Amino acid sequence: NADNRLITGSGTANTLEGESNLTFDGNDLTVTGTAPCVNLTDTDADDYKISNTQGVLAIRDTTAGADRFVINDNGTGYFQSNFLVGGTTTSPGATFHVKNSYASVKIDSDGANNDVNLYFKIGANKKNIINFGDNDDADIGQIFYDHNGDYMSFKTNTSEKLRITSTGQLLLSQSNTDTTLNNWTGATINIKNT
């Protein structure tokens, strides 16, 4: 058992072998090799593997044959295969779902003299949508950019109230019951300090 090797049974009767690639020093369990891994196999059909291949750490769903989470050797990481992340929820309803009585998401440059960017990227002729909802209506308020026409729209109380067209025109609804948008190009708006 030199070098804290773990002892396993061999193919020869009444003999044991010290595994050179599997050691335990009382604190750390170490697996070494070209692509060392730990298999987590339960009694049903849901099995996982944690592996390190050339500095890339992966958690793999061996049952589905798909990596679920990967950390590259440069420190970047990503989820794969329609993986859903839930913050304090066991049933995420989106790719990233934060559910909490004081839910918040923070993007912080830590005081660095750099811009902070938030990107929404989709396919052609689709919409980027930000919904503002409550318990009664998940999208009662909404801001969206429609790439089929290249305009930005604002909805309140579930209906569109303002639109900025691709040419810069500002369209507004005239009343709460009006379902049409009106072109205010060329209109005069007076702003007074009272």
Side-chain angles (χ1 to χ4, degrees):
N1 63 351
D3 301 321
N4 299 313
R5 297 178 182 180
L6 293 187
I7 305 300
T8 62
S10 70
T12 305
N14 300 319
T15 61
L16 298 175
E17 293 184 357
E19 298 293 336
S20 60
N21 291 340
L22 184 60
T23 61
F24 181 65
D25 64 2
N27 188 58
D28 295 330
L29 177 65
T30 303
V31 182
T32 58
T34 304
C37 66
V38 175
N39 289 296
L40 304 174
T41 305
D42 60 15
T43 56
D44 58 25
D46 298 317
D47 302 326
Y48 282 85
K49 174 190 289 187
I50 303 173
S51 64
N52 176 15
T53 305
Q54 297 181 336
V56 177
L57 177 70
I59 299 177
R60 184 171 181 80
D61 182 345
T62 54
T63 303
D67 291 337
R68 295 305 186 193
F69 181 64
V70 176
I71 300 177
N72 294 314
D73 57 358
N74 63 4
T76 61
Y78 54 92
F79 295 97
Q80 291 186 330
S81 301
N82 298 320
F83 194 91
L84 303 182
V85 181
T88 68
T89 177
T90 57
S91 300
T95 305
F96 182 66
H97 183 172
V98 178
K99 185 177 182 180
N100 190 282
S101 57
Y102 295 99
S104 63
V105 176
K106 184 177 183 179
I107 302 175
D108 191 342
S109 69
D110 197 27
N113 189 24
N114 295 307
D115 296 331
V116 176
N117 297 291
L118 182 62
Y119 291 99
F120 298 89
K121 184 178 179 181
I122 58 172
N125 299 323
K126 299 297 182 180
K127 296 177 183 178
N128 297 109
I129 302 172
I130 301 174
N131 291 310
F132 301 89
D134 53 33
N135 291 333
D136 297 322
D137 194 323
D139 58 356
I140 192 168
Q142 189 179 88
I143 301 172
F144 70 80
Y145 187 90
D146 194 331
H147 294 264
N148 184 18
D150 288 317
Y151 65 88
M152 180 166 283
S153 173
F154 297 81
K155 290 184 177 182
T156 62
N157 199 23
T158 70
S159 64
E160 185 178 27
K161 299 298 193 300
L162 183 147
R163 179 184 296 186
I164 303 172
T165 69
S166 61
T167 60
Q169 293 178 324
L170 182 64
L171 309 181
L172 299 172
S173 63
Q174 290 182 324
S175 67
N176 292 336
T177 58
D178 190 0
T179 59
T180 61
L181 296 174
N182 300 276
N183 189 343
W184 277 38
T185 301
T188 301
I189 299 177
N190 295 318
I191 301 176
K192 296 182 179 180
N193 184 12
T194 58

